[in-house]
Amino acid sequence: MTQFLQAVVLGLLIGGVYALMASGLTLIFGVMRIINIAQGAFLILVAMITWWLWHETGIDPILASVITAPLMFGFGWVVHRLLISRVSGESSSMSILLTFGFAMVIEGVLDITAGNRFRSATPSYFDESFRIGSVSLPKAQVFGFLAAVLVLAALYYVLTRTWTGRAIRAATQNPSGAALVGVGAAGTAALAFALGSATTGVGGSILSVLYPFFPASHYDWISRLLGIVVLGGMGSLPGALIGAGILGLAETLTATYGSLSWSTLVFYVVIMVVLLIRPQGLFGARLREDAA
Amino acid sequence: MLSMKAVFAGYGGGNVLQSVDLECAEQTITCIVGPNGAGKSTVLRVISGLLRPSAGEITMDGEAIGDQAPDEILRRGITQVPQSHALFPAMSVHENVLMGGYLIRKNRTLLRERLDMVKDRVPLVASRAGDHAGNLSGGQRRMVEIARCLMLDPKLILLDEPSLGLDPRSLAGVADLIHALHQEGTTVLLVEQNVRLGLGLATHGVVMEGGKVRLTGTAAAVKDDPEIASLYLGGTKAPPLNSPPAGQGTETTSV
């Protein structure tokens, strides 16, 4: 029983972090219908920057997201203006190729500048735990989870309570309807891409503490994120949250009762099963045609 | 007020509009009728800036607007209600209407005033405020679409097929609203397949065919034109102006 409870708690903690990482991917897809394959590479880039900041200054890696999140917001905005905007309106395969290529560029640059070896930020608390009864809660996971929840709450606030957020939601739900009330497509897309990138600014910092990483780790991460958003429904933010929770649980339960090496396979199995049974995912973003 | 001179426009290559001339005087309701593919909706898209004309001149109160972006045209007081799917289905009715005031979002007092005005005007906006727009009926959606475009207190409203897919009762509501807006001085340009309804509501009529304007005049004159009567009204003689549109007899409608 304790073992089960332990697995569930760990699954939910990691699910929260997955939710944050996937929220950016699904937000960008929702507004632009672009699958940003480079989202995983953004995470690793941030993890590397965080590691470096921590190594050089001793700053807490998770707190370093105060620096990396705005940095990635600006980075995302520039990347959208210089690269992504050029394929807007093209077929989705063009954007997949472009962002995949961009991910490889980031990987290559990290390879050359930082070297192809595993890294991990290890603040003082990284091997300590809180204990509640017989269940232990690793401090790093708890802090990571709290940071993720905080950022998701902020994202929710921006999307539902501000004009910027309303414009993003309007453009997601009905691009031509948004144009009719004066919401500019290009500006909204740049903002959504910048916001989506900013979430990796926090997600990557958390990643640097929770998981060892090296430049090519982004393939593994984008696969996980795709598994989550495909399960939840591409473009749906609530879907990404639920999908992340389910896959976090599935991963830790598989690791607990099966084996660690099988646990990452869960994501690929989920992608295949969802595509076969319910291609639109649990909360599939309804297209304009069926939204009536 | 609004004037189009020798306007050409189209989608990818060919021109749908072939030298269109059109005038909308202040405080009129102009109705464009014509067969499918005549370019009626394209005229509205060109005026609202969603489609850029390839040639010709469009002016609003004497100023050229042909090369302006949709938001600049909105700022000039021209709003459009398209045929369908204009709302944000997963947003509440309140938020949908609020989005109509996106361009005046920085002026909170004005925004609140307009919202109150729109609620007065279209009671549905207050009574169904919290409901998702995607859960409304076709008629209710159309009312919310029109309500949303009123947030900018437009001088000119472009309505694309306001009767499309509406039951008689909703249709009467929409017609009443258009009529009331006109009474208060708003200028309306509408496109309508339901010729009887459109010309019945309008003060002026425009007949389009093959991307060209074939006939213009007062609504009554257009309605009485023998060719129009035989083509669109199913007879050689137009019915009296006060007759209800086909299938819209209020006596037989139980509500």
Side-chain angles (χ1 to χ4, degrees):
Chain A
M1 188 59 202
T2 305
Q3 197 188 24
F4 177 73
L5 209 61
Q6 178 74 55
V8 168
V9 168
L10 286 181
L12 290 177
L13 286 178
I14 200 60
V17 176
Y18 284 163
L20 170 65
M21 293 173 174
S23 66
L25 188 63
T26 211
L27 185 70
I28 290 170
F29 179 81
V31 175
M32 283 170 276
R33 305 283 133 179
I34 277 177
I35 301 167
N36 181 22
I37 300 292
Q39 200 80 357
F42 286 12
L43 281 173
I44 299 302
L45 174 68
V46 173
M48 200 68 84
I49 295 171
T50 305
W51 182 88
W52 180 78
L53 283 171
W54 165 76
H55 193 256
E56 294 298 315
T57 68
I59 187 176
D60 179 89
I62 295 177
L63 276 184
S65 48
V66 176
I67 301 168
T68 50
L71 194 71
M72 289 308 286
F73 184 91
F75 179 72
W77 200 84
V78 171
V79 168
H80 180 270
R81 274 291 139 107
L82 296 182
L83 285 179
I84 309 295
S85 62
R86 291 169 197 272
V87 295
S88 78
E90 303 278 342
S91 70
S92 58
S93 55
M94 286 299 287
S95 63
I96 289 177
L97 273 176
L98 175 67
T99 54
F100 183 62
F102 191 53
M104 291 173 78
V105 169
I106 294 177
E107 181 192 336
V109 169
L110 288 179
D111 234 355
I112 294 165
T113 54
N116 193 15
R117 65 181 176 86
F118 271 105
R119 284 189 169 79
S120 185
T122 50
S124 58
Y125 54 80
F126 94 104
D127 53 358
E128 295 171 7
S129 291
F130 297 112
R131 290 200 76 82
I132 299 176
S134 53
V135 176
S136 82
L137 305 171
K139 285 187 177 174
Q141 298 227 5
V142 172
F143 296 152
F145 176 81
L146 290 178
V149 169
L150 201 69
V151 174
L152 281 171
L155 191 62
Y156 178 81
Y157 179 85
V158 168
L159 286 176
T160 56
R161 296 280 184 275
T162 68
W163 281 100
T164 305
R166 280 188 204 112
I168 288 178
R169 278 159 60 227
T172 307
Q173 292 174 30
N174 185 347
S176 62
L180 283 173
V181 294
V183 174
T188 316
L191 260 176
F193 199 86
L195 264 181
S197 304
T199 61
T200 67
V202 184
S205 291
I206 299 171
L207 187 156
S208 75
V209 185
L210 297 187
Y211 298 89
F213 60 90
F214 72 112
S217 303
H218 70 94
Y219 295 111
D220 180 32
W221 280 98
I222 190 62
S223 313
R224 288 183 199 208
L225 300 189
L226 282 174
I228 291 165
V229 296
V230 166
L231 173 63
M234 302 285 290
S236 159
L237 210 50
L241 302 193
I242 303 286
I246 293 174
L247 284 176
L249 280 174
E251 194 184 17
T252 50
L253 288 172
T254 312
T256 307
Y257 295 103
S259 88
L260 199 61
S261 49
W262 283 97
S263 63
T264 39
L265 190 73
V266 169
F267 290 90
Y268 301 97
V269 173
V270 163
I271 294 182
M272 282 200 295
V273 172
V274 171
L275 289 180
L276 282 173
I277 297 174
R278 196 180 157 82
Q280 78 274 33
L282 295 175
F283 291 78
R286 295 180 305 169
L287 295 178
R288 205 148 60 85
E289 297 82 72
D290 31 81
Chain B
M1 178 178 226
L2 180 94
S3 154
M4 293 173 79
K5 284 200 180 76
V7 170
F8 288 80
Y11 311 88
N15 280 322
V16 177
L17 301 187
Q18 307 276 349
S19 190
V20 167
D21 296 303
L22 191 79
E23 294 283 338
C24 286
E26 211 153 316
Q27 296 188 22
T28 55
I29 303 183
T30 306
C31 178
I32 308 178
V33 298
N36 281 334
K40 307 185 295 291
S41 300
T42 308
V43 167
L44 299 192
R45 290 177 63 82
V46 166
I47 297 171
S48 62
L50 293 178
L51 182 69
R52 212 156 262 207
S54 49
E57 193 188 39
I58 306 171
T59 58
M60 173 78 175
D61 295 331
E63 286 179 63
I65 58 165
D67 56 352
Q68 292 192 335
D71 60 319
E72 288 167 336
I73 290 171
L74 277 175
R75 279 180 224 278
R76 286 181 179 273
I78 303 178
T79 57
Q80 187 185 358
V81 181
Q83 255 175 38
S84 57
H85 300 313
L87 297 180
F88 310 116
M91 284 190 186
S92 68
V93 167
H94 173 79
E95 267 194 309
N96 264 283
V97 174
L98 201 60
M99 276 308 286
Y102 183 74
L103 291 181
I104 53 164
R105 62 189 181 277
K106 301 218 165 95
N107 189 341
R108 289 182 164 219
T109 329
L110 181 65
L111 197 65
R112 203 166 305 124
E113 274 173 27
R114 292 273 171 84
L115 201 56
D116 288 342
M117 179 273 285
V118 170
K119 279 178 187 163
D120 268 358
R121 186 88 270 185
V122 187
L124 183 77
V125 173
S127 64
R128 302 289 299 267
D131 293 357
H132 277 183
N135 294 339
L136 299 180
S137 73
Q140 291 168 332
R141 274 204 292 271
R142 186 56 42 85
M143 293 299 263
V144 175
E145 283 165 1
I146 298 177
R148 187 177 74 182
C149 92
L150 297 179
M151 284 296 286
L152 292 179
D153 194 19
K155 287 190 240 169
L156 172 65
I157 300 181
L158 311 173
L159 289 168
D160 199 349
E161 305 255 3
S163 78
L164 198 74
L166 297 193
D167 61 86
R169 189 189 179 189
S170 313
L171 194 53
V174 170
D176 283 349
L177 183 56
I178 296 171
H179 192 65
L181 288 170
H182 171 239
Q183 294 287 309
E184 286 162 28
T186 312
T187 309
V188 179
L189 174 60
L190 75 135
V191 161
E192 191 48 73
Q193 287 270 9
N194 185 336
V195 176
R196 229 177 265 270
L197 171 86
L199 290 177
L201 204 58
T203 56
H204 293 75
V206 174
V207 182
M208 282 187 71
E209 217 176 85
K212 292 188 172 113
V213 172
R214 281 208 38 197
L215 183 70
T216 55
T218 63
V222 170
K223 220 172 177 179
D224 284 339
D225 186 271
E227 201 181 344
I228 300 306
S230 71
L231 272 177
Y232 302 112
L233 300 170
T236 49
K237 191 177 178 308
L241 270 179
N242 58 356
S243 74
Q248 317 298 336
T250 42
E251 295 85 351
T252 55
T253 311
S254 57
V255 286

